[in-house]
Amino acid sequence: MSQYSGGGGNCVQAAVKNGYVSIGDSQNPGRLPQAFTPDEAKAFLRGGKDTDFDVPLYL
């Protein structure tokens, strides 16, 4: 469990399967996970690290 989920089980689940990165939601275990190529997953993580997805608080 993530230390950032506050112990409530609100975690993102990630796995590598058949060469794809699978991302799921622990709050919706019956929902199919999203599948990404390794390059797509790397680009997404890089964007998060570089604050590409930050939203100004005044919106």
Side-chain angles (χ1 to χ4, degrees):
M1 183 178 313
S2 170
Q3 64 183 355
Y4 299 105
S5 70
N10 302 324
C11 298
V12 172
Q13 300 168 323
V16 177
K17 186 174 181 181
N18 299 325
Y20 288 89
V21 178
S22 176
I23 306 291
D25 178 2
S26 66
Q27 286 189 317
N28 297 295
R31 206 170 174 187
L32 290 175
Q34 299 289 314
F36 302 94
T37 66
D39 286 339
E40 290 171 332
K42 286 177 193 174
F44 176 76
L45 292 173
R46 242 184 265 118
K49 186 176 180 181
D50 293 341
T51 67
D52 291 347
F53 308 121
D54 284 3
V55 178
L57 294 176
Y58 57 84
L59 289 180

